[in-house]
């Protein structure tokens, strides 16, 4: 593949021809590496997001530009897109390296970059489209409009927003809106969590989150009494918004993002297929309004079940505005699916009411009397008797969960999907030459012509044999939809048809490459004014001189550096969350909760000491690192 292979003219694919009035709906899947990205595409992803060699918000999920280039070529067959995360904050000494990396990614064929640091907009970049990461913290319509005016082509909204808030942002902008639909939840607004850096020297904004929120904490009330001991009080359940997809589309979301760039291939296969089917149901119900944003028919060998992949229990989070119980305070581990209810333990086995088939090697777990999650491996199952690998007594009435389904995992470890492009084929004569016309569902068409042939009448009917040879598509991505034989009752040697078919498919590939398109970066409006006032705090994560210049160009006069540059004090706000621990524990201050749980409240885990501030007017909780911020 040459460097200019993917240098296209600007045109949005789904704005072509008859699709110009339709909303293109995108399923966006995570990829730890290029191989998992390929699996995501085969299982129905319209786009994938993946980290490059550096500067992605998952330091453990980097990939070479060469691997990404090969991925782009693979994705282009289905008009799927490849987005690369360059969404860490950038230090001054790294700016040139980032610029060079982005130029290489552009030549590799990447469709867009997902970015956080505004300094990138002052680099000498190719005209690649930019998406504003969720770490840009786009909570308001005003912030969304500013980022659109700054040149971003797609906005990744915070996980915390409700349908009503999404709809308000939709009114303010005309670029596509992207929202998370499934996966792990950060307790803090993304981009506004500084706990890892302040407490452990590992910054989430640099891709090195130490997951402070998953730790067990003791909760202290205002009198210094421990009211909760060793609970994961900042750890949230995982998101599952599969029931709200139609509502999200109606509110203005067109890109549905699965979280999980550190997940394995089995997770991506299962969850991608799960959401592909649900999105397709909505799209198919309104074909005059919605269309898939990529091409191809996906066939899978399994039935997806979201509960079978890693999860801490599910929540739609704040989608309806009323979150309910959203924390997973008893364990940060995968809970899985409910599979049985214990009747009694006898010796080395357990008798249980089993609701789904279990198998040797399954991983099971339960919550004990202290609400601690205890896991064990199932050695064998005989009827309603379960034989754990190690002897364990479980109280009657206890619910058993399966967080590792061996049969399902084994199935996902094999080839589980194919994706094909439908083609219509016509065979005809043009003088003394054969012509094979092909048109595909991507809008491509081409014609391959043979060398002159000797035309002689056939002794037997030829159409079925010719269709079999012409439609022999083997290991290609193509699927024969329609075949039209206009060549008449003449004899055509099989080798002529085989050669013609190969030439036609090669031409079709070349045609698809020539017609590929890539969105260009939007123009930045220099008169756009930053909407949140002329003063920036460390919460805006300004870590380099070019980011500072960007904000000054847009009306900001005072800029406090990012916490990673200079920790702003020993009592800093390290998390800003819409999750409220008081509400979770039934002690909301708006409903008299201080009488049930006297403040001020604080959390301790080892040498980590956090204090909690409750902003009831804005329904926010702020987590302070009391006096244990990392010294620099």
């Amino acid at each position: 593949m040459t460097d200019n292979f993917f240098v296209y003219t600007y045109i949005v694919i789904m704005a072509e021809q008859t699709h110009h009035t339709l909303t293109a709906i995108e399923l966006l899947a995570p990829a730890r590496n290029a191989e998992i990205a390929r699996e995501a595409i085969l299982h129905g992803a319209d786009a994938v997001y993946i980290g490059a060699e550096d500067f992605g918000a998952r330091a453990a999920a980097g990939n070479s530009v060469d691997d990404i280039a090969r991925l782009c070529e693979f994705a282009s067959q289905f008009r799927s897109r490849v987005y690369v995360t360059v969404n860490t904050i950038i230090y001054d000494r790294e700016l040139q390296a980032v610029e060079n990396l982005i130029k290489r990614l552009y030549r590799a064929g990447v469709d867009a970059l997902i970015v956080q640091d505004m300094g990138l907009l002052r680099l000498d970049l190719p005209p690649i489209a930019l998406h504003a990461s969720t770490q840009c913290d786009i909570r308001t319509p005003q912030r969304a409009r500013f980022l659109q005016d700054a040149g971003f082509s797609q906005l990744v909204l915070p996980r915390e927003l409700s349908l009503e808030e999404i709809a308000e942002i939709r009114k303010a902008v005309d670029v596509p809106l992207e929202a998370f639909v499934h996966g792990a939840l950060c307790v803090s607004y993304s981009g506004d969590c500084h706990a890892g850096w302040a407490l452990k020297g590992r910054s989430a904004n640099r891709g090195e989150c130490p997951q402070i929120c998953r730790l067990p904490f003791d909760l202290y009330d205002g009198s210094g009494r421990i009211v909760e001991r060793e609970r994961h009080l900042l750890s949230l359940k995982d998101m599952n918004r599969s029931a709200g997809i139609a509502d999200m589309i109606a509110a203005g979301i067109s890109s549905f993002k699965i979280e999980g760039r550190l997940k394995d291939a089995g997770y991506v296969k299962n969850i991608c297929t799960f959401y592909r089917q649900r999105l397709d149901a909505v799209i198919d119900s309104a074909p005059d309004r919605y269309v898939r944003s990529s091409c191809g028919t996906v066939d899978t060998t399994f039935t997806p079940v979201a509960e079978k992949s890693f999860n801490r229990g599910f929540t739609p989070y704040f989608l309806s505005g009323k979150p309910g119980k959203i924390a997973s305070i008893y364990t940060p581990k995968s809970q899985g699916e409910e599979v049985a209810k214990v009747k009694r333990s006898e010796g080395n086995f357990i008798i249980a009411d089993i609701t789904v088939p279990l198998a040797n090697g399954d991983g099971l777990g339960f919550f004990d009397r202290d609400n601690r999650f205890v896991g064990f491996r199932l050695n064998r199952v005989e009827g309603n008797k379960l034989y754990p690998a190690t002897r364990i007594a479980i109280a009657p009435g206890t619910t058993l969960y399966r967080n590792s389904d061996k049969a399902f995992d084994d199935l996902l470890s094999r080839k589980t999907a194919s994706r094909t492009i439908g083609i219509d084929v016509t065979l005809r004569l043009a003088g003394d030459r054969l012509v094979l016309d092909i048109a595909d569902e991507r809008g491509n068409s081409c014609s391959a012509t043979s060398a002159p042939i000797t035309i002689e009448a056939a002794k037997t009917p030829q159409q079925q044999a010719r269709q079999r040879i012409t439609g022999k598509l083997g290991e290609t991505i193509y699927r024969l939809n329609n075949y039209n034989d206009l060549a008449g009752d003449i004899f055509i040697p099989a080798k002529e048809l085989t050669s013609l078919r190969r030439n036609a498919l090669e031409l079709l590939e070349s045609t698809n490459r020539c017609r590929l398109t890539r969105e260009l970066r939007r123009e930045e409006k220099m008169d756009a004014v930053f909407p949140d006032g002329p003063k920036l705090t460390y919460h805006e994560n300004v870590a380099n001189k070019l980011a500072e210049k960007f904000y000054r160009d847009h009306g900001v006069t005072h800029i406090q550096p990012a916490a990673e540059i200079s920790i702003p004090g020993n009592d800093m706000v390290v998390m800003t969350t819409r999750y409220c621990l008081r509400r979770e524990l039934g002690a909301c201050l708006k409903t008299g909760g201080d009488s049930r749980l006297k403040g001020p409240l604080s959390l301790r885990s080892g040498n980590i000491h956090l204090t909690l501030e409750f902003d009831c007017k804005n329904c926010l909780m702020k987590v302070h690192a009391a006096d244990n911020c990392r010294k620099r």
Side-chain angles (χ1 to χ4, degrees), residues 100-143:
N100 293 339
L101 174 62
I102 291 172
K103 289 177 179 178
R104 293 167 59 210
L105 290 169
Y106 181 72
R107 291 195 297 271
V110 169
D111 292 279
L113 304 177
I114 302 173
V115 305
Q116 172 190 187
D117 197 308
M118 296 299 130
L120 272 66
L121 280 75
R122 293 294 174 268
L123 294 173
D124 179 21
L125 298 184
I128 190 168
L130 301 180
H131 294 184
S133 170
T134 187
Q135 293 184 244
C136 292
D137 198 4
I138 312 168
R139 299 185 209 181
T140 65
Q142 295 78 17
R143 178 71 73 99

Side-chain angles (χ1 to χ4, degrees), residues 58-226:
R58 297 290 187 275
N63 296 273
S64 73
V65 174
D66 287 343
D67 283 347
I68 292 173
R70 286 187 285 271
L71 171 62
C72 290
E73 188 168 7
F74 175 80
S76 70
Q77 300 175 103
F78 307 102
R79 300 285 174 87
S80 295
R81 291 163 302 285
V82 176
Y83 305 148
V84 171
T85 57
V86 188
N87 58 340
T88 65
I89 58 172
I90 310 298
Y91 297 146
D92 281 319
R93 64 180 180 274
E94 299 169 330
L95 289 169
Q96 188 60 55
V98 171
E99 181 179 299
N100 293 339
L101 174 62
I102 291 172
K103 289 177 179 178
R104 293 167 59 210
L105 290 169
Y106 181 72
R107 291 195 297 271
V110 169
D111 292 279
L113 304 177
I114 302 173
V115 305
Q116 172 190 187
D117 197 308
M118 296 299 130
L120 272 66
L121 280 75
R122 293 294 174 268
L123 294 173
D124 179 21
L125 298 184
I128 190 168
L130 301 180
H131 294 184
S133 170
T134 187
Q135 293 184 244
C136 292
D137 198 4
I138 312 168
R139 299 185 209 181
T140 65
Q142 295 78 17
R143 178 71 73 99
R145 181 62 191 225
F146 172 74
L147 289 171
Q148 173 181 288
D149 291 345
F152 287 94
S153 303
Q154 187 154 304
L155 309 179
V156 189
L157 300 185
R159 296 165 172 88
E160 289 83 355
L161 297 188
S162 67
L163 289 168
E164 183 178 351
E165 290 166 320
I166 291 169
E168 288 302 309
I169 290 176
R170 175 74 279 161
K171 294 175 186 176
V173 299
D174 53 31
V175 296
L177 298 180
E178 177 183 320
F180 284 90
V181 71
H182 194 94
L185 285 167
C186 302
V187 69
S188 179
Y189 277 93
S190 297
D192 201 7
C193 181
H194 310 280
W197 177 252
L199 302 170
K200 296 289 186 180
R202 294 172 56 190
S203 169
N205 286 310
R206 294 282 294 173
E208 299 175 335
C209 175
Q211 297 194 315
I212 298 295
C213 59
R214 303 297 181 191
L215 294 175
F217 287 96
D218 294 336
L219 173 64
Y220 290 78
D221 66 10
S223 65
R225 180 174 61 95
I226 296 178

Side-chain angles (χ1 to χ4, degrees), residues 245-258:
I245 285 174
D247 291 334
M248 292 176 73
I249 292 177
I253 298 301
S254 57
S255 179
F256 291 80
K257 187 172 194 173
I258 299 167

Side-chain angles (χ1 to χ4, degrees), residues 530 533-536 548 551-559:
F530 183 69
K535 297 183 178 181
L536 298 187
E548 182 176 341
Y551 283 109
R552 292 193 186 282
D553 287 343
H554 291 285
V556 175
T557 57
H558 296 82
I559 299 175

Side-chain angles (χ1 to χ4, degrees), residues 434-502:
L434 289 170
V435 179
L436 195 65
D437 301 318
I438 298 183
D440 70 25
E441 65 179 88
R442 301 169 296 191
N444 300 320
S445 61
C446 66
S447 298
T449 305
S450 73
I453 64 170
T454 301
I455 298 177
E456 56 182 90
K459 296 179 181 179
T460 58
Q462 298 289 300
Q463 281 78 5
Q464 286 188 356
R466 293 200 296 239
Q467 179 174 348
R468 185 174 62 253
I469 295 170
T470 306
K472 193 174 183 179
L473 300 173
E475 297 300 315
T476 72
I477 65 166
Y478 299 108
R479 178 190 71 259
L480 183 64
N481 281 347
N482 298 294
Y483 177 77
N484 189 19
D485 192 330
L486 304 178
D489 294 326
I490 65 171
F491 174 73
I492 303 172
K495 67 177 182 179
E496 290 286 354
L497 288 174
T498 299
S499 177
L500 191 62
R501 182 196 68 228
R502 289 173 178 167

